[in-house]
Amino acid sequence: MKDRCLLALFALSAVAVNAEAGPFRRRVQPAYSQPSYVQPVTYTANYTPIATSSTDSAAVAGAGDGLDEVNAQRAARGLRPFVRDDALTQAAKTCAAFRAERLMFGHTSNDFAFLPPGSSARSAGCAAYPASSGWMSCCVYENYTYAGAAYATGADGRRYMQLFVR
């Protein structure tokens, strides 16, 4: 009798576990669609941007152009140097000053918002380390042609680096 009770209890517990499991169901991912507010941007040659940001990178102590440092790192690895792009440099200076003012280690919510009208970038790299660490942003060793790089020193003493490439 004891064996029969244990067998019945085992059978009921196995049925209960299987009933809760149910059939395998796949989750359906919604299809991605391009937001309607995104507008394509084109590059304009010989464009001279007007600073529209309230943050002026020249006013930030320790601000500077970093493309020579980036190209030196590329040369050390046998890579061709980036070609300086004035619009990307303007965007890098403005973005670096913005990040340094707010002590932002990483990207802003939209780094590409710092690009002047009529310019474009394919990628952006950023970092915030002491100047003794050297240039530490992403995109340094990538296979892009044009770049703009800048840095600004924050109140914490770190160098806020920004690199735009295309």
Side-chain angles (χ1 to χ4, degrees), residues 139-164:
C139 300
V140 172
Y141 305 113
E142 303 298 323
N143 192 27
Y144 295 101
T145 303
Y146 301 97
Y151 64 88
T153 305
D156 57 357
R158 291 190 293 187
R159 189 169 66 153
Y160 290 81
M161 298 162 263
Q162 187 71 36
L163 175 65
F164 284 102

Side-chain angles (χ1 to χ4, degrees), residues 88-111:
L88 297 180
T89 302
Q90 156 94 37
K93 286 179 180 179
T94 308
C95 190
F98 179 88
R99 290 179 47 245
E101 183 180 315
R102 291 160 180 78
L103 305 178
M104 295 176 67
F105 179 85
H107 293 281
T108 65
S109 61
N110 182 7
D111 287 352

